[in-house]
Amino acid sequence: MDGLVNEFEDQFRAGFLSDLEQTLAKVQREKVYACAFGTNSDWVTLFLAVNTEDSLSKHITNMKEQGLCDSEQDEIYYRWGCSEYQYGEDTHFNHISRLLYATEDIQKYKDEIIRIIAKVVNETADDVFARYGQAKADITFFVSLTDDDLAEEIENQSVHQMTVPSLASKFLKRYDGIN
């Protein structure tokens, strides 16, 4: 297990900063509010997804025009559903996905994977974000599952580990009051 965990950490650390900076460079005139690490229920893929307030607003307007956003619940989904995020399509961490895919029963390592992602995010200096006009403390970071009912549980577990407490608290209340 230690070998896999160490290899995952090395590969994630090596890929995250360059992918993050590439994405932040694209959005430096917009306000980033979310940075998600998406995977699937098998935990054999990993990608970075980033969204901004501007891209969210445009996306919701577009979805309303198509009749695909007609409730507060829909808007919350577009805000927090990482598969709807507009940036990060070039950051699929393919080298990491190969490692995850090649590991037997990778799901048993999910807590370690989340811990490592959070560790690397937490260790990423604030000035990396500031170089692109962003504030790390203004961004909600979380891990999400794109195809599983456990997504909310994983998101809630992971947001605590890598997001400032005030934003994490707001994130945890994202579905409160929605019927």
Side-chain angles (χ1 to χ4, degrees):
M1 176 172 139
D2 287 342
L4 168 72
V5 170
N6 291 337
E7 187 173 354
F8 176 82
E9 183 170 347
D10 291 345
Q11 288 190 21
F12 183 75
R13 187 177 302 282
F16 172 65
L17 190 57
S18 63
D19 284 356
L20 176 68
E21 289 195 87
Q22 175 185 339
T23 303
L24 291 177
K26 290 180 183 178
V27 300
Q28 59 186 335
R29 290 179 183 80
E30 300 179 39
K31 182 182 179 338
V32 173
Y33 72 86
C35 179
F37 303 91
T39 187
N40 59 13
S41 59
D42 294 330
W43 290 82
V44 296
T45 187
L46 186 66
F47 64 92
L48 174 71
V50 172
N51 216 16
T52 67
E53 293 293 350
D54 289 348
S55 64
L56 174 66
S57 178
K58 290 174 190 169
H59 190 54
I60 287 175
T61 298
N62 185 32
M63 293 296 103
K64 284 180 177 179
E65 289 171 358
Q66 295 179 46
L68 298 173
C69 182
D70 56 10
S71 69
E72 183 182 359
Q73 187 171 4
D74 291 342
E75 290 189 27
I76 290 169
Y77 167 74
Y78 291 124
R79 174 170 282 281
W80 298 115
C82 71
S83 59
E84 297 292 328
Y85 287 5
Q86 303 301 301
Y87 300 100
E89 65 278 355
D90 300 328
T91 61
H92 291 283
F93 298 121
N94 290 331
H95 57 296
I96 296 170
S97 294
R98 281 194 293 276
L99 171 67
L100 297 174
Y101 185 76
T103 303
E104 191 173 313
D105 199 18
I106 190 66
Q107 292 166 322
K108 69 183 178 184
Y109 299 103
K110 68 180 174 56
D111 291 335
E112 283 297 304
I113 291 169
I114 292 169
R115 183 192 62 74
I116 290 166
I117 292 170
K119 177 181 174 186
V120 172
V121 167
N122 291 330
E123 291 173 354
T124 302
D126 294 347
D127 69 329
V128 170
F129 296 86
R131 281 198 300 267
Y132 299 97
Q134 306 297 329
K136 182 179 177 184
D138 293 341
I139 302 172
T140 302
F141 297 89
F142 61 97
V143 174
S144 185
L145 301 176
T146 59
D147 65 345
D148 197 299
D149 291 339
L150 293 176
E152 186 176 348
E153 180 181 326
I154 295 296
E155 292 166 358
N156 291 350
Q157 170 194 343
S158 64
V159 75
H160 282 295
Q161 296 179 43
M162 59 186 112
T163 302
V164 297
S166 60
L167 288 180
S169 293
K170 288 178 186 175
F171 181 80
L172 294 173
K173 296 175 185 171
R174 66 197 180 281
Y175 300 122
D176 291 359
I178 301 298
N179 296 334

